[in-house]
Amino acid sequence: MATHIDPSSVGYNIARDPNLVKNRIFIGNLPICTREELESICHPYGKVLGSLVQKNFGFVQFESEEIANKCASALNKSIFKSKALTVRNASIKPKPVNPNAKKINAITQNPGGVPMTVQGGIIMPVAAAATAAPINDCEIIVVNRENTKYAEYVEDQLRKIGMRVDVLFPNEDVMLNQVLSNISARGCLYAILVTPQHEALNSITVNILYGIPAEHRNMPLDDAIALVTTDFRSKKQREALSTSQMNHNRHPDTMQHLIEMLANNRQLTGLQYECVIKYLEKQREEQLKLELGEANALAKLQEPDPEIELQKRILNVMNKPSVTEINYEFMYPTFEMAKADNRLMELLKDRRVISALKTLYNSDLKETISQYL
């Protein structure tokens, strides 16, 4: 039997009401934040009725179970303040954790040849991907619900090429940049914007969220679909190759030994450090080619390091010769040579010349000239 709680009672918080638990989400691994900050990442999915923030976890209350489940599915494993959130409907009890289970970093370690796959641009074990909520490849942001049918037509076109697509109706008070940031944080590859102007012009705006982000505004619909199709298939081919290499390749035995020594905080020789650095630089180059494509990877690798550029500028300034080191050729290197010039001596005896010199030189120089004259 459900417990009845009077909403008008002192201290009532809708996020604690057990009768409304199905309309609520649980957020685990929550970083330090305010209720307002927590609610801000939930606003795009529906009206927030209340929230509760505790140490390492929190709750957010929605109007219906449907909205709560949609928000939980969207935010689960997304990044908030550098932490990966664990989000589920608050009515769902967590599965018991085996205390003897080993924690495995699925990206940097692959002991025993654990099969890996790529989901939404995130590399993870196949077993984990099977139990995890699927990550959409593309989300269509609809600004006005009157354009729903147009958005659903775009959705159908993208589903035909095998993409996981969903239509999103963000709240009007949430900035578009925030919506795009949330979508990108949970591993979505593309975001498509649909507005009344887009439908009138039979166009859409495509945002590529992975790798080097790019925005293609107001593209004709057919051209935009062709762009997304080509890019998506190309990415899938690169991911398949990357996953295959991850499942069958490992570091060379010698390099694996050096990396394990570093991981165990053991000291390496200078030559060993140099070998590891060169090896990792080569691996980075190959991985960038797989993730971004040949052209984008080369552009990324050729970007100058800001810190090195700053050091070069400082050294350039420091190495410039000082003013005192610059040599000039004088007409009269010594006073004796100046005194030998009779025409100059006649000029310097003229009071008008001396008066003019006063306005050009300080008194010390005038006294020095007078002394030698």
Side-chain angles (χ1 to χ4, degrees):
M1 182 176 178
T3 303
H4 176 72
I5 298 179
D6 184 6
S8 62
S9 61
V10 177
Y12 174 80
N13 187 333
I14 193 172
R16 294 179 183 271
D17 193 333
N19 299 319
L20 302 174
V21 66
K22 291 187 177 181
N23 302 348
R24 186 180 310 140
I25 62 172
F26 166 83
I27 303 99
N29 197 33
L30 186 66
I32 297 174
C33 67
T34 63
R35 290 174 54 187
E36 290 74 16
E37 289 175 324
L38 177 59
E39 291 177 5
S40 69
I41 66 173
C42 299
H43 280 311
Y45 309 100
K47 184 177 180 181
V48 174
L49 302 182
S51 63
L52 180 67
V53 174
Q54 300 287 347
K55 185 178 181 181
N56 297 329
F57 70 93
F59 296 92
V60 176
Q61 190 74 34
F62 292 96
E63 291 181 310
S64 68
E65 181 180 358
E66 180 185 358
I67 296 175
N69 289 338
K70 186 173 183 178
C71 182
S73 176
L75 292 183
N76 188 40
K77 296 186 179 180
S78 65
I79 305 299
F80 177 52
K81 290 192 172 183
S82 301
K83 281 197 172 186
L85 301 178
T86 301
V87 188
R88 66 174 185 274
N89 190 294
S91 64
I92 300 175
K93 300 298 182 183
K95 296 180 180 179
V97 179
N98 181 3
N100 297 321
K102 294 183 179 180
K103 296 181 180 179
I104 300 175
N105 186 325
I107 296 178
T108 59
Q109 297 179 359
N110 189 15
V114 177
M116 307 293 284
T117 187
V118 181
Q119 181 167 302
I122 300 175
I123 301 174
M124 61 178 69
V126 171
T131 58
I135 300 172
N136 290 326
D137 299 309
C138 178
E139 295 203 5
I140 302 173
I141 305 168
V142 184
V143 175
N144 192 322
R145 288 184 179 270
E146 293 180 358
N147 306 113
T148 301
K149 288 187 177 180
Y150 183 65
E152 290 175 345
Y153 173 76
V154 176
E155 180 184 19
D156 290 339
Q157 297 301 307
L158 295 176
R159 287 185 184 277
K160 289 178 181 178
I161 63 173
M163 296 181 70
R164 289 187 296 270
V165 192
D166 196 9
V167 178
L168 180 64
F169 301 92
N171 287 348
E172 295 181 358
D173 56 345
V174 180
M175 298 294 291
L176 178 60
N177 288 341
Q178 180 64 45
V179 177
L180 290 173
S181 177
N182 291 341
I183 294 174
S184 177
R186 55 180 179 264
C188 192
L189 304 177
Y190 308 92
I192 290 177
L193 180 63
V194 172
T195 65
Q197 292 79 7
H198 285 126
E199 183 171 3
L201 299 173
N202 196 34
S203 65
I204 55 176
T205 290
V206 177
N207 290 272
I208 300 177
L209 304 177
Y210 72 93
I212 300 177
E215 181 185 44
H216 302 271
R217 294 186 178 182
N218 306 322
M219 290 188 69
L221 182 58
D222 292 341
D223 293 346
I225 297 296
L227 169 68
V228 174
T229 300
T230 302
D231 189 82
F232 178 69
R233 288 174 176 170
S234 175
K235 178 170 176 56
K236 285 300 177 183
Q237 290 174 357
R238 294 196 300 269
E239 286 179 350
L241 178 60
S242 176
T243 304
S244 175
Q245 290 179 344
M246 181 171 292
N247 289 336
H248 298 94
N249 297 345
R250 76 190 297 265
H251 302 302
D253 291 340
T254 305
M255 194 57 59
Q256 182 69 34
H257 178 65
L258 294 179
I259 293 174
E260 289 175 357
M261 288 179 64
L262 282 175
N264 295 328
N265 202 27
R266 294 171 60 185
Q267 188 67 32
L268 270 63
T269 66
L271 181 60
Q272 288 174 329
Y273 277 121
E274 185 177 350
C275 291
V276 172
I277 290 171
K278 288 183 177 180
Y279 175 76
L280 292 179
E281 286 178 344
K282 182 65 176 177
Q283 292 295 104
R284 172 176 177 264
E285 180 179 344
E286 295 300 323
Q287 188 62 31
L288 283 174
K289 289 179 181 179
L290 289 173
E291 293 177 358
L292 307 179
E294 187 86 21
N296 289 335
L298 291 176
K300 184 75 173 176
L301 292 169
Q302 291 172 0
E303 287 182 357
D305 188 322
E307 185 174 346
I308 294 178
E309 288 298 308
L310 179 60
Q311 292 177 0
K312 287 182 178 179
R313 291 183 182 182
I314 293 174
L315 290 174
N316 187 39
V317 172
M318 294 176 63
N319 291 332
K320 282 184 178 179
S322 64
V323 175
T324 56
E325 294 175 348
I326 299 175
N327 296 321
Y328 293 98
E329 293 184 2
F330 294 98
M331 183 177 294
Y332 305 104
T334 64
F335 280 109
E336 286 72 18
M337 295 179 66
K339 291 170 66 175
D341 190 333
N342 294 328
R343 293 181 60 189
L344 175 63
M345 291 299 101
E346 291 297 326
L347 285 174
L348 292 178
K349 291 177 182 179
D350 191 327
R351 293 181 179 275
R352 293 172 298 176
V353 174
I354 295 299
S355 297
L357 288 174
K358 287 182 181 180
T359 62
L360 298 175
Y361 302 103
N362 57 40
S363 58
D364 292 338
L365 181 58
K366 182 174 72 70
E367 291 175 0
T368 303
I369 293 175
S370 300
Q371 177 182 351
Y372 277 86
L373 290 176

